[in-house]
mmCIF file with all atom_site columns, all heavy atoms in Angstrom:
data_model
loop_
_atom_site.group_PDB
_atom_site.id
_atom_site.type_symbol
_atom_site.label_atom_id
_atom_site.label_alt_id
_atom_site.label_comp_id
_atom_site.label_asym_id
_atom_site.label_entity_id
_atom_site.label_seq_id
_atom_site.pdbx_PDB_ins_code
_atom_site.Cartn_x
_atom_site.Cartn_y
_atom_site.Cartn_z
_atom_site.occupancy
_atom_site.B_iso_or_equiv
_atom_site.pdbx_formal_charge
_atom_site.auth_seq_id
_atom_site.auth_comp_id
_atom_site.auth_asym_id
_atom_site.auth_atom_id
_atom_site.pdbx_PDB_model_num
ATOM 1   N N   . LYS A 1 11  ? 21.570 -10.702 16.743  1.00 98.00 ? 11  LYS A N   1
ATOM 2   C CA  . LYS A 1 11  ? 21.270 -11.030 18.143  1.00 98.00 ? 11  LYS A CA  1
ATOM 3   C C   . LYS A 1 11  ? 22.547 -11.423 18.883  1.00 98.00 ? 11  LYS A C   1
ATOM 4   O O   . LYS A 1 11  ? 22.850 -10.935 19.971  1.00 98.00 ? 11  LYS A O   1
ATOM 5   C CB  . LYS A 1 11  ? 20.282 -12.214 18.161  1.00 98.00 ? 11  LYS A CB  1
ATOM 6   C CG  . LYS A 1 11  ? 19.415 -12.248 19.407  1.00 98.00 ? 11  LYS A CG  1
ATOM 7   C CD  . LYS A 1 11  ? 18.487 -13.444 19.412  1.00 98.00 ? 11  LYS A CD  1
ATOM 8   C CE  . LYS A 1 11  ? 17.300 -13.262 18.497  1.00 98.00 ? 11  LYS A CE  1
ATOM 9   N NZ  . LYS A 1 11  ? 16.429 -14.451 18.409  1.00 98.00 ? 11  LYS A NZ  1
ATOM 10  N N   . GLU A 1 16  ? 27.236 -10.399 22.470  1.00 96.00 ? 16  GLU A N   1
ATOM 11  C CA  . GLU A 1 16  ? 28.696 -10.468 22.656  1.00 96.00 ? 16  GLU A CA  1
ATOM 12  C C   . GLU A 1 16  ? 29.355 -9.091  22.569  1.00 96.00 ? 16  GLU A C   1
ATOM 13  O O   . GLU A 1 16  ? 30.580 -8.991  22.571  1.00 96.00 ? 16  GLU A O   1
ATOM 14  C CB  . GLU A 1 16  ? 29.297 -11.425 21.621  1.00 96.00 ? 16  GLU A CB  1
ATOM 15  C CG  . GLU A 1 16  ? 28.839 -12.864 21.846  1.00 96.00 ? 16  GLU A CG  1
ATOM 16  C CD  . GLU A 1 16  ? 29.246 -13.798 20.707  1.00 96.00 ? 16  GLU A CD  1
ATOM 17  O OE1 . GLU A 1 16  ? 29.963 -13.354 19.792  1.00 96.00 ? 16  GLU A OE1 1
ATOM 18  O OE2 . GLU A 1 16  ? 28.828 -14.967 20.748  1.00 96.00 ? 16  GLU A OE2 1
ATOM 19  N N   . LYS A 1 18  ? 29.701 -7.089  20.083  1.00 97.00 ? 18  LYS A N   1
ATOM 20  C CA  . LYS A 1 18  ? 30.547 -6.957  18.886  1.00 97.00 ? 18  LYS A CA  1
ATOM 21  C C   . LYS A 1 18  ? 30.037 -5.771  18.067  1.00 97.00 ? 18  LYS A C   1
ATOM 22  O O   . LYS A 1 18  ? 28.860 -5.414  18.132  1.00 97.00 ? 18  LYS A O   1
ATOM 23  C CB  . LYS A 1 18  ? 30.433 -8.231  18.046  1.00 97.00 ? 18  LYS A CB  1
ATOM 24  C CG  . LYS A 1 18  ? 31.179 -9.395  18.630  1.00 97.00 ? 18  LYS A CG  1
ATOM 25  C CD  . LYS A 1 18  ? 31.479 -10.407 17.530  1.00 97.00 ? 18  LYS A CD  1
ATOM 26  C CE  . LYS A 1 18  ? 32.288 -11.561 18.051  1.00 97.00 ? 18  LYS A CE  1
ATOM 27  N NZ  . LYS A 1 18  ? 31.695 -12.848 17.687  1.00 97.00 ? 18  LYS A NZ  1
ATOM 28  N N   . ALA A 1 22  ? 24.297 -0.522  11.237  1.00 99.00 ? 22  ALA A N   1
ATOM 29  C CA  . ALA A 1 22  ? 22.960 -0.552  10.636  1.00 99.00 ? 22  ALA A CA  1
ATOM 30  C C   . ALA A 1 22  ? 23.011 0.031   9.225   1.00 99.00 ? 22  ALA A C   1
ATOM 31  O O   . ALA A 1 22  ? 23.856 0.872   8.910   1.00 99.00 ? 22  ALA A O   1
ATOM 32  C CB  . ALA A 1 22  ? 21.999 0.263   11.496  1.00 99.00 ? 22  ALA A CB  1
ATOM 33  N N   . ALA A 1 56  ? 23.579 -4.824  9.656   1.00 98.00 ? 56  ALA A N   1
ATOM 34  C CA  . ALA A 1 56  ? 22.180 -5.006  10.052  1.00 98.00 ? 56  ALA A CA  1
ATOM 35  C C   . ALA A 1 56  ? 21.314 -4.098  9.179   1.00 98.00 ? 56  ALA A C   1
ATOM 36  O O   . ALA A 1 56  ? 21.095 -2.930  9.502   1.00 98.00 ? 56  ALA A O   1
ATOM 37  C CB  . ALA A 1 56  ? 22.004 -4.662  11.522  1.00 98.00 ? 56  ALA A CB  1
ATOM 38  N N   . ILE A 1 58  ? 17.970 -2.684  7.855   1.00 98.00 ? 58  ILE A N   1
ATOM 39  C CA  . ILE A 1 58  ? 16.712 -2.514  8.587   1.00 98.00 ? 58  ILE A CA  1
ATOM 40  C C   . ILE A 1 58  ? 15.567 -2.234  7.613   1.00 98.00 ? 58  ILE A C   1
ATOM 41  O O   . ILE A 1 58  ? 15.715 -1.443  6.674   1.00 98.00 ? 58  ILE A O   1
ATOM 42  C CB  . ILE A 1 58  ? 16.870 -1.382  9.626   1.00 98.00 ? 58  ILE A CB  1
ATOM 43  C CG1 . ILE A 1 58  ? 17.806 -1.867  10.753  1.00 98.00 ? 58  ILE A CG1 1
ATOM 44  C CG2 . ILE A 1 58  ? 15.512 -0.925  10.176  1.00 98.00 ? 58  ILE A CG2 1
ATOM 45  C CD1 . ILE A 1 58  ? 18.142 -0.856  11.812  1.00 98.00 ? 58  ILE A CD1 1
ATOM 46  N N   . ALA A 1 59  ? 14.439 -2.932  7.798   1.00 98.00 ? 59  ALA A N   1
ATOM 47  C CA  . ALA A 1 59  ? 13.254 -2.702  6.956   1.00 98.00 ? 59  ALA A CA  1
ATOM 48  C C   . ALA A 1 59  ? 12.034 -3.275  7.656   1.00 98.00 ? 59  ALA A C   1
ATOM 49  O O   . ALA A 1 59  ? 12.154 -4.007  8.647   1.00 98.00 ? 59  ALA A O   1
ATOM 50  C CB  . ALA A 1 59  ? 13.431 -3.385  5.599   1.00 98.00 ? 59  ALA A CB  1
ATOM 51  N N   . LYS A 1 64  ? 6.288  -6.357  10.156  1.00 98.00 ? 64  LYS A N   1
ATOM 52  C CA  . LYS A 1 64  ? 7.282  -6.714  11.192  1.00 98.00 ? 64  LYS A CA  1
ATOM 53  C C   . LYS A 1 64  ? 8.576  -5.929  10.964  1.00 98.00 ? 64  LYS A C   1
ATOM 54  O O   . LYS A 1 64  ? 9.065  -5.860  9.838   1.00 98.00 ? 64  LYS A O   1
ATOM 55  C CB  . LYS A 1 64  ? 7.606  -8.206  11.133  1.00 98.00 ? 64  LYS A CB  1
ATOM 56  C CG  . LYS A 1 64  ? 6.399  -9.112  11.346  1.00 98.00 ? 64  LYS A CG  1
ATOM 57  C CD  . LYS A 1 64  ? 6.217  -9.377  12.832  1.00 98.00 ? 64  LYS A CD  1
ATOM 58  C CE  . LYS A 1 64  ? 5.146  -10.416 13.123  1.00 98.00 ? 64  LYS A CE  1
ATOM 59  N NZ  . LYS A 1 64  ? 3.796  -10.100 12.623  1.00 98.00 ? 64  LYS A NZ  1
ATOM 60  N N   . LEU A 1 74  ? 16.059 -9.040  1.189   1.00 98.00 ? 74  LEU A N   1
ATOM 61  C CA  . LEU A 1 74  ? 16.729 -7.981  0.413   1.00 98.00 ? 74  LEU A CA  1
ATOM 62  C C   . LEU A 1 74  ? 16.168 -7.940  -1.007  1.00 98.00 ? 74  LEU A C   1
ATOM 63  O O   . LEU A 1 74  ? 15.933 -6.877  -1.581  1.00 98.00 ? 74  LEU A O   1
ATOM 64  C CB  . LEU A 1 74  ? 18.244 -8.222  0.352   1.00 98.00 ? 74  LEU A CB  1
ATOM 65  C CG  . LEU A 1 74  ? 19.048 -8.004  1.635   1.00 98.00 ? 74  LEU A CG  1
ATOM 66  C CD1 . LEU A 1 74  ? 20.528 -8.300  1.390   1.00 98.00 ? 74  LEU A CD1 1
ATOM 67  C CD2 . LEU A 1 74  ? 18.894 -6.582  2.164   1.00 98.00 ? 74  LEU A CD2 1
ATOM 68  N N   . ASP A 1 90  ? 5.567  7.630   9.406   1.00 98.00 ? 90  ASP A N   1
ATOM 69  C CA  . ASP A 1 90  ? 4.875  6.516   8.729   1.00 98.00 ? 90  ASP A CA  1
ATOM 70  C C   . ASP A 1 90  ? 5.026  5.186   9.456   1.00 98.00 ? 90  ASP A C   1
ATOM 71  O O   . ASP A 1 90  ? 4.358  4.205   9.109   1.00 98.00 ? 90  ASP A O   1
ATOM 72  C CB  . ASP A 1 90  ? 5.451  6.316   7.315   1.00 98.00 ? 90  ASP A CB  1
ATOM 73  C CG  . ASP A 1 90  ? 5.695  7.633   6.605   1.00 98.00 ? 90  ASP A CG  1
ATOM 74  O OD1 . ASP A 1 90  ? 4.711  8.307   6.305   1.00 98.00 ? 90  ASP A OD1 1
ATOM 75  O OD2 . ASP A 1 90  ? 6.872  7.980   6.377   1.00 98.00 ? 90  ASP A OD2 1
ATOM 76  N N   . ILE A 1 111 ? 15.002 2.787   14.734  1.00 98.00 ? 111 ILE A N   1
ATOM 77  C CA  . ILE A 1 111 ? 15.003 1.335   14.957  1.00 98.00 ? 111 ILE A CA  1
ATOM 78  C C   . ILE A 1 111 ? 16.376 0.865   15.434  1.00 98.00 ? 111 ILE A C   1
ATOM 79  O O   . ILE A 1 111 ? 16.477 0.050   16.358  1.00 98.00 ? 111 ILE A O   1
ATOM 80  C CB  . ILE A 1 111 ? 14.542 0.601   13.680  1.00 98.00 ? 111 ILE A CB  1
ATOM 81  C CG1 . ILE A 1 111 ? 13.087 0.996   13.360  1.00 98.00 ? 111 ILE A CG1 1
ATOM 82  C CG2 . ILE A 1 111 ? 14.668 -0.915  13.848  1.00 98.00 ? 111 ILE A CG2 1
ATOM 83  C CD1 . ILE A 1 111 ? 12.638 0.657   11.954  1.00 98.00 ? 111 ILE A CD1 1
ATOM 84  N N   . GLY A 1 116 ? 19.733 -1.032  20.035  1.00 98.00 ? 116 GLY A N   1
ATOM 85  C CA  . GLY A 1 116 ? 21.028 -0.893  20.712  1.00 98.00 ? 116 GLY A CA  1
ATOM 86  C C   . GLY A 1 116 ? 22.202 -0.851  19.744  1.00 98.00 ? 116 GLY A C   1
ATOM 87  O O   . GLY A 1 116 ? 23.331 -1.180  20.101  1.00 98.00 ? 116 GLY A O   1
ATOM 88  N N   . SER A 1 134 ? 9.093  28.145  -0.396  1.00 93.00 ? 134 SER A N   1
ATOM 89  C CA  . SER A 1 134 ? 7.700  27.958  -0.791  1.00 93.00 ? 134 SER A CA  1
ATOM 90  C C   . SER A 1 134 ? 7.118  26.639  -0.273  1.00 93.00 ? 134 SER A C   1
ATOM 91  O O   . SER A 1 134 ? 5.941  26.556  0.045   1.00 93.00 ? 134 SER A O   1
ATOM 92  C CB  . SER A 1 134 ? 7.559  28.027  -2.319  1.00 93.00 ? 134 SER A CB  1
ATOM 93  O OG  . SER A 1 134 ? 8.402  27.065  -2.902  1.00 93.00 ? 134 SER A OG  1
ATOM 94  N N   . ASP A 1 137 ? 9.767  22.166  2.818   1.00 93.00 ? 137 ASP A N   1
ATOM 95  C CA  . ASP A 1 137 ? 10.170 20.756  2.812   1.00 93.00 ? 137 ASP A CA  1
ATOM 96  C C   . ASP A 1 137 ? 11.536 20.574  3.487   1.00 93.00 ? 137 ASP A C   1
ATOM 97  O O   . ASP A 1 137 ? 12.574 20.939  2.941   1.00 93.00 ? 137 ASP A O   1
ATOM 98  C CB  . ASP A 1 137 ? 10.212 20.260  1.352   1.00 93.00 ? 137 ASP A CB  1
ATOM 99  C CG  . ASP A 1 137 ? 10.381 18.755  1.252   1.00 93.00 ? 137 ASP A CG  1
ATOM 100 O OD1 . ASP A 1 137 ? 10.696 18.112  2.273   1.00 93.00 ? 137 ASP A OD1 1
ATOM 101 O OD2 . ASP A 1 137 ? 10.209 18.220  0.143   1.00 93.00 ? 137 ASP A OD2 1
ATOM 102 N N   . SER A 1 159 ? 23.562 17.477  -3.295  1.00 83.00 ? 159 SER A N   1
ATOM 103 C CA  . SER A 1 159 ? 23.437 18.856  -3.779  1.00 83.00 ? 159 SER A CA  1
ATOM 104 C C   . SER A 1 159 ? 22.072 19.134  -4.411  1.00 83.00 ? 159 SER A C   1
ATOM 105 O O   . SER A 1 159 ? 21.836 20.228  -4.898  1.00 83.00 ? 159 SER A O   1
ATOM 106 C CB  . SER A 1 159 ? 24.578 19.181  -4.733  1.00 83.00 ? 159 SER A CB  1
ATOM 107 O OG  . SER A 1 159 ? 24.966 18.045  -5.437  1.00 83.00 ? 159 SER A OG  1
ATOM 108 N N   . SER A 1 190 ? 29.974 14.907  -5.251  1.00 96.00 ? 190 SER A N   1
ATOM 109 C CA  . SER A 1 190 ? 31.214 15.675  -5.362  1.00 96.00 ? 190 SER A CA  1
ATOM 110 C C   . SER A 1 190 ? 31.898 15.640  -4.006  1.00 96.00 ? 190 SER A C   1
ATOM 111 O O   . SER A 1 190 ? 31.240 15.705  -2.971  1.00 96.00 ? 190 SER A O   1
ATOM 112 C CB  . SER A 1 190 ? 30.924 17.132  -5.743  1.00 96.00 ? 190 SER A CB  1
ATOM 113 O OG  . SER A 1 190 ? 29.958 17.186  -6.771  1.00 96.00 ? 190 SER A OG  1
ATOM 114 N N   . LEU A 1 197 ? 33.178 23.384  7.101   1.00 98.00 ? 197 LEU A N   1
ATOM 115 C CA  . LEU A 1 197 ? 32.693 22.722  8.316   1.00 98.00 ? 197 LEU A CA  1
ATOM 116 C C   . LEU A 1 197 ? 33.456 23.250  9.520   1.00 98.00 ? 197 LEU A C   1
ATOM 117 O O   . LEU A 1 197 ? 34.592 23.693  9.397   1.00 98.00 ? 197 LEU A O   1
ATOM 118 C CB  . LEU A 1 197 ? 32.905 21.207  8.203   1.00 98.00 ? 197 LEU A CB  1
ATOM 119 C CG  . LEU A 1 197 ? 32.064 20.487  7.146   1.00 98.00 ? 197 LEU A CG  1
ATOM 120 C CD1 . LEU A 1 197 ? 32.491 19.022  7.055   1.00 98.00 ? 197 LEU A CD1 1
ATOM 121 C CD2 . LEU A 1 197 ? 30.578 20.585  7.485   1.00 98.00 ? 197 LEU A CD2 1
ATOM 122 N N   . ALA A 1 218 ? 26.885 12.941  27.862  1.00 97.00 ? 218 ALA A N   1
ATOM 123 C CA  . ALA A 1 218 ? 25.429 12.750  27.742  1.00 97.00 ? 218 ALA A CA  1
ATOM 124 C C   . ALA A 1 218 ? 24.816 13.707  26.719  1.00 97.00 ? 218 ALA A C   1
ATOM 125 O O   . ALA A 1 218 ? 23.728 14.239  26.926  1.00 97.00 ? 218 ALA A O   1
ATOM 126 C CB  . ALA A 1 218 ? 24.746 12.880  29.109  1.00 97.00 ? 218 ALA A CB  1
ATOM 127 N N   . LYS A 1 242 ? 24.101 22.611  -12.380 1.00 94.00 ? 242 LYS A N   1
ATOM 128 C CA  . LYS A 1 242 ? 23.267 23.021  -13.519 1.00 94.00 ? 242 LYS A CA  1
ATOM 129 C C   . LYS A 1 242 ? 22.264 21.929  -13.872 1.00 94.00 ? 242 LYS A C   1
ATOM 130 O O   . LYS A 1 242 ? 21.090 22.200  -14.138 1.00 94.00 ? 242 LYS A O   1
ATOM 131 C CB  . LYS A 1 242 ? 24.158 23.299  -14.748 1.00 94.00 ? 242 LYS A CB  1
ATOM 132 C CG  . LYS A 1 242 ? 24.901 24.615  -14.657 1.00 94.00 ? 242 LYS A CG  1
ATOM 133 C CD  . LYS A 1 242 ? 25.673 24.859  -15.955 1.00 94.00 ? 242 LYS A CD  1
ATOM 134 C CE  . LYS A 1 242 ? 27.035 25.469  -15.637 1.00 94.00 ? 242 LYS A CE  1
ATOM 135 N NZ  . LYS A 1 242 ? 28.066 25.127  -16.610 1.00 94.00 ? 242 LYS A NZ  1
ATOM 136 N N   . ALA A 1 251 ? 10.682 18.519  -12.142 1.00 95.00 ? 251 ALA A N   1
ATOM 137 C CA  . ALA A 1 251 ? 9.850  18.072  -11.015 1.00 95.00 ? 251 ALA A CA  1
ATOM 138 C C   . ALA A 1 251 ? 8.698  19.047  -10.795 1.00 95.00 ? 251 ALA A C   1
ATOM 139 O O   . ALA A 1 251 ? 7.558  18.642  -10.555 1.00 95.00 ? 251 ALA A O   1
ATOM 140 C CB  . ALA A 1 251 ? 10.700 17.945  -9.756  1.00 95.00 ? 251 ALA A CB  1
ATOM 141 N N   . LYS A 1 260 ? 8.119  11.951  -2.868  1.00 91.00 ? 260 LYS A N   1
ATOM 142 C CA  . LYS A 1 260 ? 8.470  11.477  -4.216  1.00 91.00 ? 260 LYS A CA  1
ATOM 143 C C   . LYS A 1 260 ? 9.618  12.278  -4.822  1.00 91.00 ? 260 LYS A C   1
ATOM 144 O O   . LYS A 1 260 ? 10.218 11.868  -5.802  1.00 91.00 ? 260 LYS A O   1
ATOM 145 C CB  . LYS A 1 260 ? 7.243  11.599  -5.136  1.00 91.00 ? 260 LYS A CB  1
ATOM 146 C CG  . LYS A 1 260 ? 6.070  10.764  -4.681  1.00 91.00 ? 260 LYS A CG  1
ATOM 147 C CD  . LYS A 1 260 ? 5.638  9.816   -5.806  1.00 91.00 ? 260 LYS A CD  1
ATOM 148 C CE  . LYS A 1 260 ? 4.973  8.566   -5.303  1.00 91.00 ? 260 LYS A CE  1
ATOM 149 N NZ  . LYS A 1 260 ? 3.688  8.752   -4.706  1.00 91.00 ? 260 LYS A NZ  1
ATOM 150 N N   . PRO A 1 263 ? 13.469 10.565  -4.751  1.00 90.00 ? 263 PRO A N   1
ATOM 151 C CA  . PRO A 1 263 ? 13.625 9.489   -5.741  1.00 90.00 ? 263 PRO A CA  1
ATOM 152 C C   . PRO A 1 263 ? 13.547 9.995   -7.188  1.00 90.00 ? 263 PRO A C   1
ATOM 153 O O   . PRO A 1 263 ? 14.324 9.550   -8.039  1.00 90.00 ? 263 PRO A O   1
ATOM 154 C CB  . PRO A 1 263 ? 12.454 8.542   -5.444  1.00 90.00 ? 263 PRO A CB  1
ATOM 155 C CG  . PRO A 1 263 ? 12.125 8.791   -4.015  1.00 90.00 ? 263 PRO A CG  1
ATOM 156 C CD  . PRO A 1 263 ? 12.418 10.240  -3.766  1.00 90.00 ? 263 PRO A CD  1
ATOM 157 N N   . ASN A 1 281 ? 27.251 7.054   -6.762  1.00 96.00 ? 281 ASN A N   1
ATOM 158 C CA  . ASN A 1 281 ? 26.399 6.677   -5.627  1.00 96.00 ? 281 ASN A CA  1
ATOM 159 C C   . ASN A 1 281 ? 26.859 5.348   -5.018  1.00 96.00 ? 281 ASN A C   1
ATOM 160 O O   . ASN A 1 281 ? 26.983 5.211   -3.795  1.00 96.00 ? 281 ASN A O   1
ATOM 161 C CB  . ASN A 1 281 ? 24.956 6.562   -6.124  1.00 96.00 ? 281 ASN A CB  1
ATOM 162 C CG  . ASN A 1 281 ? 23.949 6.769   -4.996  1.00 96.00 ? 281 ASN A CG  1
ATOM 163 O OD1 . ASN A 1 281 ? 24.275 6.629   -3.827  1.00 96.00 ? 281 ASN A OD1 1
ATOM 164 N ND2 . ASN A 1 281 ? 22.735 7.100   -5.339  1.00 96.00 ? 281 ASN A ND2 1
#
Side-chain angles (χ1 to χ4, degrees):
K11 207 182 283 176
E16 294 171 5
K18 285 202 177 129
I58 290 176
K64 300 272 187 301
L74 289 180
D90 318 293
I111 297 164
S134 57
D137 190 348
S159 32
S190 316
L197 293 174
K242 284 184 219 150
K260 299 236 153 69
N281 204 340

